[in-house]
Amino acid sequence: MIERTFVMVKPDGVGRRFIGEVIGRYEAKGLKLVGLKMQIVSRALAETHYAEHRGQPFYAGLIEFITSGPTVQMVWEGEDAIAAVRKLNGATDCREADIGTIRGDLGLTKQKNIVHASDARETAEREIALYFQPSELWDYPLPDAAWLQE
Ligand code: CMP
């Protein structure tokens, strides 16, 4: 089923010049970019985004890190896009992520793991709405669409 997912390139991914690398991997897979922006996430927005992790030992460090520099927000669309992006990203801890994934190839730690992506359809809807207005999401045809859906 065609669905949309939210992705954020975290401050380490931006700082290490991996924006293009990340976008390139999703594009090569066949996903379609339908939303894109760059910002330093405010503490309030970070706390809303990561509310489910409040109380975890890593929470304070996570909020500190995610608000520490520019980040890139994206919405990607495609056949089972949520699962596709999660596979491309690899396991949360870069040390456990398979080689061939973004985190497995490019990262060394659990906190500085280059990208965040939605883990389920409800999360995707919530995260997309948190970072994008409907008018900032683009509906446009691509000529290879027929080869990229079930
Ligand atoms: P993300 O997909 O952005 O969702 C929550 C983030 O918290 C996760 O990626 C990691 O960056 C971070 N995280 C989760 N568990 C830990 C941990 N044990 N130590 C440090 N950071 C963590």
Side-chain angles (χ1 to χ4, degrees):
M1 183 185 281
I2 300 294
E3 59 189 16
R4 287 179 169 181
T5 190
F6 172 77
V7 174
M8 172 155 57
V9 183
K10 298 184 181 185
D12 59 324
V14 174
R16 295 180 60 207
R17 303 179 175 84
F18 285 147
I19 301 167
E21 174 80 27
V22 169
I23 289 177
R25 289 186 183 217
Y26 301 153
E27 282 194 327
K29 181 73 171 167
L31 295 163
K32 176 176 163 184
L33 186 61
V34 298
L36 177 69
K37 60 172 65 171
M38 185 176 199
Q39 66 187 297
I40 295 181
V41 174
S42 69
R43 178 164 287 266
L45 180 53
E47 286 177 350
T48 304
H49 179 165
Y50 284 118
E52 65 172 303
H53 298 299
R54 192 184 295 267
Q56 297 288 339
F58 61 84
Y59 177 76
L62 171 62
I63 299 298
E64 201 64 42
F65 167 57
I66 216 73
T67 57
S68 67
T71 54
V72 171
Q73 286 72 33
M74 304 182 279
V75 179
W76 289 89
E77 183 181 279
E79 187 74 35
D80 294 329
I82 296 166
V85 164
R86 284 172 61 77
K87 279 189 190 162
L88 288 164
N89 289 352
T92 303
D93 190 334
C94 296
R95 292 165 290 195
E96 286 164 17
D98 289 335
I99 296 303
T101 65
I102 290 170
R103 291 166 175 156
D105 288 351
L106 307 176
L108 283 170
T109 75
K110 192 166 194 176
Q111 184 196 63
K112 298 179 179 71
N113 61 355
I114 304 159
V115 281
H116 164 83
S118 310
D119 60 6
R121 194 167 281 200
E122 308 76 56
T123 330
E125 279 177 21
R126 177 180 164 273
E127 291 175 348
I128 290 169
L130 208 51
Y131 288 94
F132 288 88
Q133 299 294 325
S135 62
E136 294 173 319
L137 299 175
W138 303 98
D139 208 354
Y140 60 96
L142 285 177
D144 59 0
W147 283 287
L148 294 164
Q149 45 187 296
E150 205 58 75

